[in-house]
Amino acid sequence: MSNSTRWTVIGILIAVNAVANVILGNTWFAIVVSSVTGVGVVAVLIDYLARGRREP
């Protein structure tokens, strides 16, 4: 995965998180969406730290 793809995925996940929190408010579904998008961001960052520096 290239760095531009990583940053695009992170940006999309953060945007989904922000929009879901605005639209859904303090519902349980907003908590689920926030958790899933947060895990996605952490996974992409771990991928970058684990493999990103070794790519040419």
Side-chain angles (χ1 to χ4, degrees), residues 25-51:
N26 290 329
T27 62
W28 67 270
F29 192 65
I31 295 170
V32 172
V33 171
S34 293
S35 299
V36 170
T37 56
V39 168
V41 169
V42 170
V44 173
L45 289 175
I46 289 172
D47 176 62
Y48 170 72
L49 293 174
R51 297 190 306 167

